[in-house]
């Protein structure tokens, strides 16, 4: 409800001054720092799970691969949106600010799911609630990133990177939910969900390397 209200108000330019939702370089850095802090919840969740479970090879492997989910969001967020300002218009800054909430929520819920997932690492199938919490968090993170990249000032300039990547993110979010429906063993679950973030990152990097700007930097 809060997010919907913020977006609707952001879409009404006449209701706010030109500078009311101005996002500065300093604000971008602070949101990036906030994301880093919340990403610590994934590490805390993995450590908490390993502390409460028998540390057999399967449990340890589940914990290690679970960290990839956090790293995957880190790479995608900072490589695609880090140090990049949103557009200073109703479809840019207000939505950029508002979408930071579901993004950080997805990270926090992923961290919360890690504890239960690692504790059940030796089960044949992951617990239902934990599976949906983790798969849903990955899907929400991908959708949030897809929205954020479309608000950036660089979106039009780097359209060959951002447009296909944002579409791929939305498709990957659907795949994450399908994996949740499958509900595999915990180790398979974290490998599959981590692979989604990794594949999206590889896709984005490959698109970036094909741009004239990247070619100029490599010369």
């Amino acid at each position: 409800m809060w997010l919907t209200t913020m977006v609707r108000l952001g879409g009404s330019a006449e209701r706010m001054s030109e500078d009311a939702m101005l996002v500065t370089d300093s604000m971008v850095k602070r949101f990036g720092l906030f994301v880093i802090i919340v990403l610590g919840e994934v590490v805390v969740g993995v450590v908490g799970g390993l502390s409460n479970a028998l540390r057999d090879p399967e449990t340890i492997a589940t914990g290690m691969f679970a960290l990839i989910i956090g790293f995957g969001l880190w790479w995608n967020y900072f490589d695609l949106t880090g140090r990049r300002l949103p557009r200073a218009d109703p479809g840019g800054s207000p939505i950029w600010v508002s979408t930071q909430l579901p993004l950080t929520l997805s990270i926090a819920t992923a961290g919360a799911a890690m504890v239960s997932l690692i504790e059940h690492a030796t089960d044949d199938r992951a617990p239902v609630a934990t599976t949906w919490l983790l798969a849903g968090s990955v899907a929400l993170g991908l959708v949030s990133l897809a929205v954020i990249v479309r608000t950036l000032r660089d979106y039009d300039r780097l359209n060959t990177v951002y447009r296909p990547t944002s579409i791929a993110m939305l498709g990957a979010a659907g795949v994450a939910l399908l994996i949740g429906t499958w509900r595999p063993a915990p180790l398979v679950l974290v490998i599959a969900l981590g692979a989604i973030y990794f594949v999206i990152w590889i896709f984005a990097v490959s698109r970036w390397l094909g741009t004239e700007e990247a070619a100029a930097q490599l010369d």
Side-chain angles (χ1 to χ4, degrees):
M1 180 65 71
W2 179 88
L3 179 61
T4 302
T5 302
M6 285 294 293
V7 172
R8 288 181 64 84
L9 289 176
S12 302
E14 68 275 10
R15 297 188 183 184
M16 57 180 68
S17 68
E18 183 177 352
D19 297 330
M21 291 295 289
L22 179 63
V23 175
T24 63
D25 287 321
S26 178
M27 186 180 294
V28 171
K29 292 178 182 178
R30 281 164 173 74
F31 271 110
L33 179 60
F34 183 49
V35 169
I36 292 174
I37 293 172
V38 179
L39 279 168
E41 292 295 322
V42 176
V43 178
V44 171
V46 170
V47 172
L50 290 174
S51 299
N52 298 325
L54 294 175
R55 286 180 284 279
D56 56 87
E58 189 172 5
T59 300
I60 294 174
T62 301
M64 295 302 99
F65 279 104
L67 289 175
I68 294 178
I69 295 176
F71 292 147
L73 196 142
W74 175 304
W75 298 333
N76 282 281
Y77 180 82
F78 287 102
D79 286 349
L80 291 173
T81 72
R83 302 180 303 279
R84 297 185 185 275
L85 292 167
R87 298 189 309 275
D89 59 48
S93 296
I95 297 176
W96 185 92
V97 172
S98 301
T99 312
Q100 301 296 321
L101 175 63
L103 177 69
T104 51
L105 175 64
S106 72
I107 303 171
T109 53
M114 297 304 180
V115 179
S116 173
L117 192 72
I118 294 172
E119 289 178 351
H120 293 84
T122 57
D123 293 357
D124 293 333
R125 305 186 76 182
V128 176
T130 304
T131 299
W132 280 112
L133 185 62
L134 186 57
S137 70
V138 171
L140 179 60
L142 288 165
V143 171
S144 299
L145 284 172
V147 173
I148 288 173
V149 298
R150 286 178 172 270
T151 67
L152 300 177
R153 291 182 184 178
D154 290 335
Y155 180 80
D156 291 332
R157 183 172 63 86
L158 298 174
N159 186 265
T160 57
V161 176
Y162 284 131
R163 187 174 185 277
T165 299
S166 64
I167 294 173
M169 285 177 175
L170 294 176
V175 173
L177 295 178
L178 287 176
I179 292 174
T181 304
W182 174 31
R183 195 163 66 85
L187 180 57
V188 177
L189 178 64
V190 292
I191 291 175
L193 293 176
I196 290 176
Y197 272 130
F198 183 71
V199 169
I200 291 295
W201 181 76
I202 290 295
F203 177 77
V205 169
S206 66
R207 300 293 300 187
W208 164 256
L209 292 176
T211 63
E212 294 181 0
E213 181 173 330
Q217 292 181 5
L218 293 174
D219 289 340

